[in-house]
Amino acid sequence: MTRGTLLAIGVATAASTALTGCSSSAQAPKPGAAGGTGGNLVVGVTSDPDTLFPWKATQFQAVNVLQNIYGTLTEFDKDLNVVPGLATSWETSKDGRTLTFTLRDGVTFSDGSALDSKDVKSSLDRIKDEATAAVASASLASVTSVDAPDPKTVVLHLSAPDAALPSNLAVVNMAILSSDDTEASLNTTPDGTGPFVLANRVAGQALTLVKNEKYWGDKPKLAGIEFRVIPDESSIVSAMQSGNVQLAVFDDPLVAKTAAAAQLGVAKTPQLSYHVLQLNGRRGDLTDVNVRLAVQCAVDRKQVLDTAALGEGTVTGPITAPAFKSNPDQRPCPTRDLGKAAEYLGKAGKGSGVTIKTIVSQGEYSTSVNEAQSLKAQLAEAKINLDLEVLESGAYVDRWVAGDFDAAVALNGGRPDPDGMYSRYFTSKGNLNKVTGYSSPELDKLFAEGKATTDQAERKVIYDKVSAELENNAPWIWLFTGYTYTATTSQVQGFTPMANGSLQYLRTTAVN
């Protein structure tokens, strides 16, 4: 048997490296009436959450807010190891087909009701239900049924062993909700078990959380957190200099340099998230693998990285988790090859060129438009026209989730386990397969094999094959991984950035 804690195999510590240690003379806001010794923190963000329902959150800002309101059965620690959350432990049967969780005592939702096994069973059953349209439902594909034999025990029956399941249960898209709550009610009044609760929201302007005095874990030091919407990252730096904002996470390395020059502390953290040109294999010319491969061969990934992110990052293949990392040199065109691109277009009967309608998000992350323009210029030289449509963040997410695009310039969140990253996209029954428009019997087989063993070496071999299958069919064009830059004023203490971009360590943060 295995018992939690379970390690997310081989995930390296993404220790933040100091870009500068300089302090700011700006004054932080004084602690508010909510009390507490850690003060109130203002976090500058570029967009408002597009949903407050955790099972459907894909936008980065929504995820960052909701992971501070809701709890999950398992959690990640700072090194992305899987550790107990709402469950204190879990046991796997000898045949790997039963996973039994023991729930933590004394956990309540913010409405005051107690968490028990019925809430967990209800949550997992609803996430699995296609009618819910939960974005992580594929993570429960191996779960055939859920039992709640007593208030503190939950038993998951599996169709086959699933090594990825404890890790997949740690994301906020798998949040445990009260069985009495509905999507409509939670979109206005979140009801979670996390360290903070929603106090106020002014759409498009600010969202405020306050300490959950009944939180089961170590109580947060902060009395409250305001996520203040300031659409431009440079303007956030100015707000930090004036003392109106104390913490912000930037994507743009140029803004990070500006923040450092302004005497703000800046921590640079490598990310599992990846920048990618997503092609929809069910749309127009992209149904032909040769057209997709032409796009792959016509892109100079290093040039995109240098142009959009000042070279701050690494060219990547599909899998970014260190233990399973893809080798970007093992793809049909490891470097730009316009001759090969023309050859592939010729095979598709598109020698005169193609046009690909491409959506781009403006506001969710700072380098998106620059990436899109770099890609457009490069692909034009291969007679591939990216017809760009720039959308605000919420409209982009709506189109993306619906698969309503030919191509999308995207920053996708990475996961410690490859199954959690990709099975929902690239398997025939994956709940987000409509976003990619690509699956194959070989990928279905490989993803099943990847979950069936806990042996690290065996899993690495399997996911190398997954990576090769993806690269050889080019459903997406993987570009690069980058960094986040966490800027803080000198009054902020105790925040730990993470390689998955999580802001969960706001629970340990204080403002002096």
Side-chain angles (χ1 to χ4, degrees), residues 52 62 87 92 118 150 177 193 210 212 243 248 297 337 400 470 473 475:
L52 293 181
T92 304
K118 292 181 181 179
D150 64 63
L177 311 183
T193 59
V210 295
N212 180 0
C297 289
D337 190 332
W400 183 87
L470 292 173
N473 289 278

Side-chain angles (χ1 to χ4, degrees), residues 423-453:
S423 65
R424 57 183 174 162
Y425 293 112
F426 295 112
T427 58
S428 57
K429 295 183 179 179
N431 60 289
L432 290 179
N433 183 250
K434 64 184 174 183
V435 173
T436 68
Y438 181 79
S439 64
S440 70
E442 178 65 13
L443 282 174
D444 285 352
K445 173 175 172 288
L446 289 171
F447 276 109
E449 290 176 353
K451 295 194 297 184
T453 178

Side-chain angles (χ1 to χ4, degrees), residues 254-397:
L254 184 60
V255 173
K257 290 179 184 295
T258 302
Q263 303 298 297
L264 298 170
V266 181
K268 176 179 174 180
T269 309
Q271 293 293 295
L272 297 181
S273 58
Y274 51 95
H275 298 252
V276 60
L277 177 63
Q278 299 176 335
L279 308 180
N280 188 333
R282 294 193 182 96
R283 300 277 290 232
D285 294 327
L286 295 174
T287 59
D288 191 324
V289 64
N290 290 299
V291 173
R292 302 196 302 270
L293 286 169
V295 176
Q296 187 193 82
C297 289
V299 171
D300 183 335
R301 294 161 180 80
K302 184 63 165 59
Q303 186 180 88
V304 178
L305 171 61
D306 291 345
T307 301
L310 303 182
E312 290 269 304
T314 305
V315 170
T316 190
I319 298 174
T320 60
F324 307 101
K325 194 169 186 177
S326 303
N327 182 350
D329 292 333
Q330 295 177 352
R331 54 176 35 133
C333 287
T335 58
R336 192 185 195 210
D337 190 332
L338 291 178
K340 273 282 190 183
E343 183 180 327
Y344 281 124
L345 281 183
K347 287 182 180 179
K350 300 292 180 180
S352 60
V354 296
T355 293
I356 302 171
K357 294 185 179 296
T358 305
I359 60 173
V360 185
S361 172
Q362 187 169 45
E364 188 172 8
Y365 66 103
S366 62
T367 60
S368 57
V369 174
N370 285 342
E371 289 172 34
Q373 292 171 343
S374 178
L375 289 166
K376 180 179 177 66
Q378 290 185 33
L379 290 170
E381 296 177 12
K383 299 182 180 179
I384 300 169
N385 174 38
L386 289 191
D387 183 5
L388 303 180
E389 181 180 5
V390 180
L391 303 168
E392 63 85 21
S393 176
Y396 174 93
V397 170

